Amino acid sequence: PAGSMALTASLLPPLLLLLGRPGLGAPGQGAGTWSRFARLPYPQDQLFLHDTFPDGFLWGAGSAAYQTEGGWRQGGKGASVWDTFAHRPATPPGAAPPGPVGGDVASDSYNNLFRDVEGLRRLGVSHYRFSLSWARLLPNGTAPANPAGLAHYGRLLARLRELGVEPVVTLYHWDLPQALQDAFGGWASPVLPRLFRDYAELCFRHFGGQVRYWLTMDNPYVVAWHGYGTGRLPPGVRGGPRLGYLAAHHLLQAHAKVWHLYNDHFRPAQRGKVSIALSSHWIKPQHMTEKNIKECQKSLDFVLGWFAKPIFIDGDYPESMRSNLSSLLPEFSEAEKKYIKGTADFFALSFGATLSFQLLDSHMKFQQLESISLRQLLYWINSEYNNPQIFIVENSWFVSGTTKKDDAKYIYYLKKFIMETLKAIRYDGVNVFGYTVWSLLDGFEWHRGYSIRRGLFYIDFQSHDKKLIPKSSVLFYQKLIEKNGFPPLPENQPIEGVFPCGFAWGIVDNYIQVDTTPAQFIDSSVYVWDVHQTKKLIKVDGVYASKRKRHCVDFAAIRLQISLLQEMHVTHFHFSLKWSLILPLGNLSLINHTLVHYYQCFASELLRVNITPVVALWQPMIENQELPVSLAKYGAWENTETVQAFVEYARFCFTSLGDHVKFWITMNEPSVKNLTYTAGHNLLKAHAKVWRLYDKEFRRSQKGKISIALQADWVEPACPFSRNDQEVADRILEFDIGWLAEPIFGSGDYPEVMRAWLHRINGVDLYNFHLPYFSEDEKKLIQGSFDFFALSHYTTTLVGSEKEDAVKYDHYLEVQMINDITWLHSPSRAAVVPWGLRKLLKWVKSKYGDVPVYVMANGIDDGQNMVHDKLRVYYIQNYINEALKAYTLDDVNLQGYFVYSFNDKTAPKYGLYSYVANQYEPKPSLNHYREIIGNNGFPGPETPELLCPEEVALCPECHFFRKRKSLLAFISFIFVAFIVTIVFITYYSKRVERRYK
């Protein structure tokens, strides 16, 4: 029923409130973050949250002057430390020479101001974060000001005002004027804070009337540590930790001076806000121990807390830094502490690829594990720094420098980060009021040069005009802004309803457990018990009792499996026969009669308890593809003799088991990934010949049905707006499913997409795979050789056309596998995507018509952990609900659903029964599946009652009686008459006796 639906994301806030939201923050309170998130309900907390952001939430994009402006010698601009650094003989680490030098030209935004603003208009953002070039406004770092620079930024602000886009302006984004580095030693000098204040005053006076949000500087950690400590970044001073901490000391003083300047002299008139953009990584403990959690807390103190605690708490460095660094860390006077404390009007956070995983010093991880959980970082900041208003002023990931329009990887990281921000707001009570994608357009990516891209708009750096070309991420972000998040959609909601009468509810076991050891004493020898001496049984030679006929009850293994299946309340049980064991030599010269009898018994016992056996003749396995050795040794399915051998094997199975089995699968999940085109060709002919054999010789007497079961995972274009990605998805579906499905269920021949693609690559590639042709007779043989469409479905895959990750790129089909990191994943990393099943079922109907469909296997692994069985409960619930949508809303002729798998003994980690110490134990998911079966779906208050006739299992042993109903009626009449006669005789005899007495 609807009340038993799996817990959805919308029900989570009350649960999370019980776990506690952060109260008033204080240093050290963030340490509770790790234990809190370890206790959140699984998998509900990880589900995608369909909700919107608060009204008035700010959506924006950003850029930095040195990364995008170019024009390094134009308009009177002075040199910055990055100009000098980029022009050194050695290229920056990670850059991709040959190519543009540093930010000399970059995206050429200096000469394309209106181009960039047009990109903002197209996105529909509410704000634009950009930085002012200190060296463009003050070429020597100090007065006089450069009129051309002032005019440039004045034009930009005026155009933003015309569009209604709020400017968020950074005074200093790493590009210190080289003159200040040469004259004073840059941020290593105590003179710099005063000079920075003077620069800020110029900016406030000229631009402050048009700017409500100011950021004094960006990521001081990188400037101090890598600019003056390690020397990895400009100005490249390798001063070691002591100089790095000293530079940070001056940066904090400079920030505080600028904040007080604005607060005292400009805030009353301009009514703006000032903060500092602080960047951080996220870290998780190797193990959930108090010691490891302390190390994680220390890691964040050393990176984010280094600057955040003085500003947001008490004007001084974190205690963990003080106690660990001793004299390396400069001291603030009490007056300085008071002066620095509280110098931020909001918490400006930068989180993404620049610091995390790239510029984070490895020593500052303290042997713990980096993570990209923005949500947990937001919660930690909330707890640690007294619930500040948080403005995410930089966030995104990156794609390869060769990626052009279809930046799927970028989209899914963006989706993850925005989703985590939404959860932080809705679930955790974190006060986030704005989000900024980084960046508006591709540019120079600091130490990575042009080897990666982070822009929403593509720039061809080699072109002269530097046009903005929208990537797929532009459409994604644009629609997200329009909707203010991820509002619930009807197709995301579960539905109520039931499946039709006679719907097949099944369970799958690859191969049943075969144990032919008899359960009873069936030895025909005669024994004498020596009760006087040895006390043992002594066999009497030459004397035998009459042999008892073997019975199915002799097999204890069957009784156990049947009882476990009965507990599930399933109506069908699907398993595969072992061809290699039934006919060890591949022909009828040697038959394993004991095994055949075991299968007969198993099927008949299933029928006895009203469970329909669904039997596959062959299922490929790793060893010899589960073919008899003689066939596997001589080419397997490459050899046409295997086709005929399969037909003879099938004939034998139909003859031996056909009275018990009415639901046949010729081949179960033949793997196209490991199939040559020749093998696939022969496999199709073998299937068709077996189907025709059954249809012609066995169907009339046995009254069964037969088809093939194909593995059919759904394939979705990674960029839903990309025609190229859609073409790739269509191609993969035809190669993965259509290859075997189209000849049988469609035209009788292979898909045109396959032939066209192979013709294309065979002409230009080293691959010379030939897709065989069917004769007209073979087409007629294969086409229509089905009674239903059986498919196994486990997951959904995203595919793209742009090569991003060589490990996951298929050169043969020119397809890039992509991962949506917002999806739930099993312990083996299989994606849990319930709506993929519905899309697949609709695709089958659109391709092959109103064919009866069975979902023959559907399941997920659990990692041998009962916590993960909660994921299977969610999986079964939601995949079945999507199947119901396909049946109810899409009119798919769905007739059955089977869960994979029966137990962990035969399919480790996938079973509904665990198997430990020779004992089977039902998992919670079994009970959940049984409840769904009992309800025949998900009935609700408005669901009409479905009255189904009582179904009776087919019983081969009852065939004798069904054919002789008249005889049975006559015998019954005679029996009743006999009983009545006896009753009358007895009654009257007693009356006569009493009369004589």
Side-chain angles (χ1 to χ4, degrees), residues 518-544:
Q520 299 188 33
F521 188 78
I522 57 173
D523 189 350
S524 60
S525 301
V526 175
Y527 294 83
V528 174
W529 188 8
D530 184 359
V531 295
H532 299 292
Q533 297 180 6
T534 64
K535 309 293 185 181
K536 296 180 179 179
L537 291 172
I538 301 173
K539 184 178 180 180
V540 179
D541 293 332
V543 180
Y544 299 96

Side-chain angles (χ1 to χ4, degrees), residues 117 124-128 157-167:
V117 175
V125 294
S126 56
H127 71 273
Y128 177 44
L157 288 167
R159 183 63 180 140
L160 292 175
R161 186 171 64 250
E162 289 174 15
L163 289 178
V165 174
E166 186 84 54

Side-chain angles (χ1 to χ4, degrees), residues 3-52:
S4 68
M5 294 290 286
L7 187 65
T8 61
S10 62
L11 298 177
L12 276 175
L15 291 173
L16 297 176
L17 283 169
L18 292 174
L19 291 172
R21 288 179 171 179
L24 291 176
Q29 282 198 9
T33 302
W34 292 278
S35 58
R36 177 188 187 271
F37 279 86
R39 300 195 310 272
L40 293 182
Y42 177 85
Q44 289 78 20
D45 179 63
Q46 295 184 20
L47 299 180
F48 195 86
L49 173 59
H50 292 280
D51 202 348
T52 56

Side-chain angles (χ1 to χ4, degrees), residues 278-326:
L278 300 180
S279 186
S280 184
H281 62 309
W282 181 248
I283 198 93
K284 63 181 183 180
Q286 295 248 20
H287 306 286
M288 282 296 291
T289 63
E290 186 177 346
K291 179 183 176 182
N292 283 1
I293 288 174
K294 283 183 178 179
E295 295 298 287
C296 288
Q297 181 78 2
K298 189 193 301 183
S299 176
L300 291 172
D301 280 346
F302 269 65
V303 178
L304 180 56
W306 184 3
F307 301 93
K309 182 174 175 286
I311 293 170
F312 289 92
I313 299 297
D314 58 8
D316 201 3
Y317 297 114
E319 182 56 38
S320 60
M321 293 184 74
R322 284 247 167 261
S323 59
N324 279 271
L325 297 174
S326 185

